Amino acid sequence: MNQKIISQPLGLIDPDKLKVNEQFLFSIYYEMFPEKKVRLYKKDNYLVIHTVFWNKLNKSWNMTQKEFPLSALPWLVDRFENGFFKPQDQGGVSDFERSLRKEFNGEFIGINAMAHCCAENLPG
């Protein structure tokens, strides 16, 4: 049995001072959260989703970062396009199969779909 690992964090990206191994790709705008700044970066062999948001509880700006190995991207895209976004009779996942995971480089990557995420009648 392969030993499972938890990869070390890559280190937070500073959007104002990108390092040589960091490349800005594009921004995502969420209508429901206009104050949120979501940017995608490539850092080494990883896709990084970097989010800056206003924390209403602490009344301060915070940032988070999610990191995915680039080798996981084809699977992630396929699961959304051919799994979550398609009805079951067209090859999509069932209404009960909302959590998927797969191993990449000894680390499990998981995705969860939520019905009505952020707005009524819009898949999450």
Side-chain angles (χ1 to χ4, degrees):
M1 183 170 165
N2 293 343
Q3 182 176 351
K4 306 303 178 229
I5 62 168
I6 297 175
S7 295
Q8 292 297 314
L10 298 177
L12 286 175
I13 289 178
D14 181 349
D16 297 325
K17 297 178 185 171
L18 293 180
K19 297 177 182 166
V20 174
N21 64 337
E22 300 170 344
Q23 177 185 2
F24 171 73
L25 300 174
F26 58 89
S27 296
I28 299 174
Y29 175 75
Y30 287 105
E31 187 175 322
M32 294 296 294
F33 305 104
E35 75 284 353
K36 240 184 201 186
K37 294 182 179 149
V38 180
R39 297 181 181 119
L40 274 69
Y41 295 88
K42 179 183 177 290
K43 182 170 183 169
D44 295 327
N45 292 320
Y46 287 84
L47 172 71
V48 177
I49 302 172
H50 183 272
T51 306
V52 176
F53 62 96
W54 179 253
N55 184 322
K56 293 178 183 179
L57 295 175
N58 297 338
K59 296 189 179 3
S60 64
W61 287 97
N62 288 346
M63 74 175 91
T64 63
Q65 184 170 298
K66 294 176 180 66
E67 304 158 356
F68 299 94
L70 291 176
S71 60
L73 288 184
W75 175 76
L76 288 168
V77 171
D78 177 68
R79 290 298 71 210
F80 278 98
E81 288 182 350
N82 297 314
F84 297 134
F85 293 161
K86 282 189 178 178
Q88 186 176 2
D89 62 353
Q90 295 178 11
V93 297
S94 75
D95 290 338
F96 299 103
E97 190 179 9
R98 291 290 174 200
S99 178
L100 304 170
R101 69 182 189 158
K102 187 171 179 178
E103 185 179 337
F104 296 91
N105 303 330
E107 183 177 20
F108 278 109
I109 304 296
I111 52 176
N112 298 303
M114 298 182 339
H116 309 299
C117 175
C118 304
E120 188 175 349
N121 298 321
L122 290 177

